[in-house]
């Protein structure tokens, strides 16, 4: 008998169900139904801690390839609190190990982002057999060229920029579209280019308002009636980039705006006298059906994860590298972040067509 547990953890994204579908379908191809038990663990690590799981049948994975969200539910369980015994005296790591044992699992399949991978690596160190799949709209997981969810979010964000373009053109306004990504600017960079943004501000390239104003004036001189800025939620000014993490957190908390884009809008309005509007699509970017690219990528990741289970190659994340799916040891992935290199070829291409990065 082969027993496999599956959980989805952290912020959701498109392609989670497609990936679960891929893992399950590939496993059912490898084992007879009476030889395989799949346990769906509810709401990520929380379900593993609390023992909330259910046995799943082949039919549970039917019709979910194109469905957004996750049929298992998800939750955020901060890595830094995993070793902290909670107010109900629950030792979370111990509880996860006990539930793993209770289900008699051969392997735990974990779908998640950066924080999730740190905990997956911790569980691996505790002797559990783990295989992971990289999900996030941020595309910031080290070790893989691409995460699933990213392309779907880029499509949504691009559509927002397209829509904003028509209204910005009519009114001759400056618009800021704030996109997700606190630490990594991949989504804003790619959607910004695809959506024809004139200015792209990402966390990796600190901006000055003076530089953005210069870009807006240049467009005015060219007779352009409108401008579009794609701004990552983690965009940071050069001044703030000099602050410590603690100082920055305090400054952001004291900011009288709901998001950084409103501050940038105010500063630009004061400096240019132009009318500025802000649009924040927020969780729209994580919602709805996965695009076809993500369905395929999730399926490839799922099938590869199943093969790792069959071959007992535990302790790995499946990754996309140079177009191929390969295993990467969890110990190499955990704790690292894949941010946009300042001189990345996509940044270069954007600069070459005149996009301003505010630096
Ligand atoms: O990690 C994915 C992500 O969507 C980030 O881009 C964003 O900053 C964050 O999650 C939002 O988190 P939450 O859904 O918990 O508000």
């Amino acid at each position: 008998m082969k027993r496999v547990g599956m959980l989805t953890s952290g912020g959701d994204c498109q392609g989670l169900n497609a990936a679960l579908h891929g893992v399950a379908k590939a496993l059912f191809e490898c084992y007879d139904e009476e030889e395989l038990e799949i346990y769906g663990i509810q709401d990520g690590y929380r379900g593993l801690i609390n023992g909330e799981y259910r046995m799943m049948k082949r039919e549970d994975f039917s019709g979910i390839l194109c469905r957004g969200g996750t049929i298992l539910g998800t939750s955020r369980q901060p890595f830094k609190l995993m070793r902290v015994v909670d107010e109900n005296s629950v030792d979370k790591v111990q509880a996860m190990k006990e539930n793993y044992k209770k289900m008699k699992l051969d392997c735990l399949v974990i779908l998640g982002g950066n924080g999730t991978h740190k905990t997956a690596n911790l569980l691996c160190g505790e002797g559990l057999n783990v295989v992971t799949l990289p999900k996030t709209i941020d595309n910031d997981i080290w070790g893989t060229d691409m995460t699933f969810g990213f392309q779907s979010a880029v499509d949504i964000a691009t559509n927002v920029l397209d829509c904003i373009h028509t209204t910005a053109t009519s009114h001759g306004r400056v618009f800021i579209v704030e996109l997700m990504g606190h630490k990594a600017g991949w989504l804003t960079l790619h959607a910004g280019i695809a959506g024809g943004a004139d200015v792209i501000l990402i966390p990796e390239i600190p901006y000055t308002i003076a530089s953005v104003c210069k870009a807006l004036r240049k467009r005015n001189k060219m007779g352009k009636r409108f401008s579009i800025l794609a701004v990552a939620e983690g965009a940071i000014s050069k001044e703030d980039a000099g602050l410590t993490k603690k100082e920055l957190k305090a400054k952001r908390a004291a900011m009288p705006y709901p998001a950084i884009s409103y501050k940038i809008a105010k500063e630009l309005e004061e400096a240019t006298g132009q009318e500025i509007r802000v649009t924040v699509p927020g969780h729209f970017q994580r919602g709805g059906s996965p695009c076809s690219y993500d369905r395929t990528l999730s399926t490839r990741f799922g099938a590869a994860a199943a093969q790792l289970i069959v071959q007992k190659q535990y302790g790995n994340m499946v990754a996309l590298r140079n177009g191929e799916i390969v295993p990467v040891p969890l110990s190499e992935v955990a704790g690292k972040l894949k941010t946009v290199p300042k001189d990345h070829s996509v940044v270069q291409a954007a600069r070459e067509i005149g996009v301003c990065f505010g630096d």
Side-chain angles (χ1 to χ4, degrees):
M1 179 63 75
K2 196 82 173 173
R3 293 190 182 85
V4 176
M6 300 212 279
L7 65 84
T8 53
S9 165
D12 74 341
C13 70
Q14 303 89 339
L16 281 166
N17 285 330
L20 294 171
H21 174 265
V23 177
K25 284 202 86 164
L27 285 174
F28 280 117
E29 284 298 312
C30 296
Y31 300 98
D32 288 336
E33 222 150 312
E34 57 278 8
E35 283 177 357
L36 175 67
E37 281 182 0
I38 295 183
Y39 289 89
I41 297 158
Q42 188 65 34
D43 296 341
Y45 291 123
R46 189 162 73 202
L48 188 58
I49 294 166
N50 298 337
E52 290 160 5
Y53 49 81
R54 63 185 189 275
M55 186 130 43
M56 301 189 76
K57 294 279 166 220
R58 194 189 269 266
E59 312 79 82
D60 293 319
F61 299 95
S62 285
I64 63 167
L65 174 66
C66 58
R67 210 197 295 170
T70 160
I71 57 167
L72 296 180
T74 188
S75 65
R76 290 198 185 275
Q77 298 293 316
F79 171 73
K80 59 179 180 213
L81 298 180
M82 278 298 176
R83 293 265 185 211
V84 178
V85 173
D86 72 10
E87 65 275 11
N88 303 318
S89 312
V90 175
D91 179 331
K92 300 183 205 66
V93 176
Q94 196 52 34
M96 287 194 278
K97 285 166 71 177
E98 278 165 16
N99 283 316
Y100 178 96
K101 266 201 199 136
K102 215 186 266 179
M103 286 182 270
K104 299 197 182 97
L105 296 182
D106 293 290
C107 179
L108 183 60
V109 178
I110 299 174
L111 287 67
N114 279 304
T116 299
H117 275 84
K118 287 192 213 166
T119 300
N121 188 43
L122 180 160
L123 293 177
C124 215
E126 290 288 326
L128 306 195
N129 296 329
V130 173
V131 167
T132 70
L133 285 78
K135 69 91 224 187
T136 167
I137 65 165
D138 296 336
N139 194 31
D140 60 354
I141 299 182
W142 189 92
T144 185
D145 295 343
M146 191 64 77
T147 58
F148 62 87
F150 175 66
Q151 289 296 341
S152 303
V154 169
D155 282 355
I156 293 172
T158 302
N159 189 31
V160 172
L161 285 161
D162 286 349
C163 293
I164 290 299
H165 250 100
T166 60
T167 177
T169 318
S170 310
H171 285 270
R173 278 173 174 159
V174 176
F175 263 92
I176 297 180
V177 176
E178 182 173 302
L179 301 174
M180 277 186 164
H182 270 300
K183 293 181 184 154
W186 295 107
L187 174 56
T188 305
L189 175 63
H190 282 257
I193 292 173
D198 309 296
V199 176
I200 296 177
L201 303 182
I202 58 175
E204 295 87 342
I205 306 178
Y207 66 84
T208 64
I209 288 295
S211 164
V212 178
C213 284
K214 201 169 146 196
L216 297 183
R217 283 196 203 99
K218 190 174 154 198
R219 279 184 58 81
N220 289 345
K221 271 198 199 131
M222 281 156 58
K224 302 283 186 188
R225 279 170 31 88
F226 72 96
S227 292
I228 309 275
L229 286 74
V231 174
E233 60 187 341
I236 185 165
S237 67
K238 281 194 180 170
E239 188 193 335
D240 287 358
L243 300 176
T244 63
K245 218 171 147 187
K246 207 172 157 194
E247 286 167 342
L248 181 66
K249 206 172 162 198
K251 193 171 174 189
R252 286 274 160 107
M255 188 172 75
Y257 306 100
I260 190 69
S261 289
Y262 292 92
K263 181 172 185 280
I264 295 173
K266 182 88 176 32
E267 289 169 353
L268 288 176
E269 256 172 6
E270 280 169 8
T272 65
Q274 277 181 275
E275 193 175 18
I276 309 207
R277 292 286 189 271
V278 176
T279 294
V280 185
H283 289 79
F284 248 76
Q285 294 161 93
R286 289 204 329 230
S289 299
C291 65
S292 56
Y293 179 92
D294 276 336
R295 294 180 201 187
T296 307
L297 183 63
S298 297
T299 302
R300 292 178 74 194
F301 279 151
Q307 288 313 314
L308 291 182
I309 295 167
V310 172
Q311 292 155 14
K312 300 188 178 164
Q313 284 191 52
Y314 305 124
N316 284 301
M317 175 185 85
V318 289
L320 181 75
R321 284 193 180 170
N322 302 319
E324 299 301 326
I325 309 289
V326 295
V328 180
L330 275 177
S331 53
E332 285 180 26
V333 174
K336 291 188 200 140
L337 197 65
K338 186 186 73 183
T339 53
V340 179
K342 284 189 176 63
D343 59 352
H344 193 274
S345 59
V346 179
V347 174
Q348 291 301 342
R351 288 194 196 277
E352 282 161 21
I353 62 158
V355 172
C356 164
F357 281 86
D359 52 342

